[in-house]
Structure formats: structure tokens, C-alpha cells
Amino acid sequence: QVQVVESGGGSVRAGGSLRLSCAASGYKYDNACMGWFRQAPGKEREVVATIYSGGDTYYHDSVKGRFTISQDNAKNTVHLDMNSLKTEDTAMYYCATENLSPYYCVNPRDRYFGFWGRGTQVTVSS
């Protein structure tokens, strides 16, 4: 029913940049919150960034100042611009969306989100 599709992953060298995109469709109601998550092998999944209605945002401390999340509300599309990439950023990146209030959107936990993409791999080499 609801489809979430990520794109833009790939392999880059440390210090480089990459832009991820996510398109969500098929909602039966408005899902105001969209977010990016990542999981590296042997590690827990973590929230990278979230955005509410193209406005309020959350960033994990490890990416603050390097990554930027933005949203195209009309097309239900969200982007993650990643700069100054580090090897520690290597992970599978997932996009997700859910009908959340502003508070829960910017104080996010992955369990809050019900609609997930299949992920796109980002590999950063030294």
C-alpha cells in the first residue's frame, strides 16, 4: 500500500559528499514526519535526521553540521545531503515515514515509524 523508495547511495572517499533521496507514496492519511536512519554491520540502527512538514528537524550529534535534511511536501520527497563524509558513516541508510506529532518527530525513535524503504548502501573509504 504505502511505498517508500530510497536512492542515491554509493561509494565515496572520506571527505566527499553524497545526496540521498526518498519518495513516499500511497498514504491513506497525511504522514507529516519523514526521517533517515542507518545501520552498520554489527551495530544498532540509529536515527540520522528527521523533518516535520519541511520545517522542524532533528539531527544525531554525529552528523550535525555535516548532513542536511530537506523535504518537498508537495511531492512527498525528502533528501539527505551528506558532506565531509567519514568512514564511520558507512551503513545501510533507510528512509521512513509516519503520522507523528511535531514533538515525537523531532524526538524520534525508530519504533515510532511504520513505513520503511528497503535501504540504500553508503560506503565511505579512507
Side-chain angles (χ1 to χ4, degrees):
Q1 202 89 43
V2 177
Q3 188 174 21
V4 181
V5 180
E6 305 97 334
S7 62
S11 183
V12 298
R13 298 192 184 279
S17 299
L18 204 60
R19 191 186 209 201
L20 305 184
S21 298
C22 172
S25 62
Y27 302 153
K28 291 182 178 287
Y29 56 89
D30 290 339
N31 282 17
C33 189
M34 298 187 74
W36 287 97
F37 305 77
R38 67 186 182 186
Q39 188 168 26
K43 306 283 285 184
E44 297 289 330
R45 186 166 61 191
E46 65 182 10
V47 185
V48 177
T50 60
I51 187 164
Y52 180 84
S53 295
D56 293 343
T57 58
Y58 162 87
Y59 293 96
H60 192 279
D61 285 344
S62 66
V63 307
K64 200 171 296 181
R66 300 189 297 120
F67 292 10
T68 302
I69 189 169
S70 60
Q71 188 173 30
D72 179 345
N73 288 317
K75 298 183 178 181
N76 296 311
T77 301
V78 66
H79 306 282
L80 187 70
D81 290 297
M82 304 185 292
N83 300 301
S84 301
L85 283 161
K86 305 174 179 180
T87 56
E88 306 93 270
D89 297 316
T90 295
M92 183 71 74
Y93 282 70
Y94 299 91
C95 178
T97 187
E98 185 56 90
N99 182 25
L100 300 176
S101 69
Y103 177 83
Y104 286 106
C105 187
V106 300
N107 291 276
R109 296 290 183 269
D110 57 3
R111 66 180 181 271
Y112 298 164
F113 291 78
F115 305 104
W116 292 80
R118 70 181 189 274
T120 186
Q121 179 69 36
V122 172
T123 302
V124 184
S125 60
S126 61

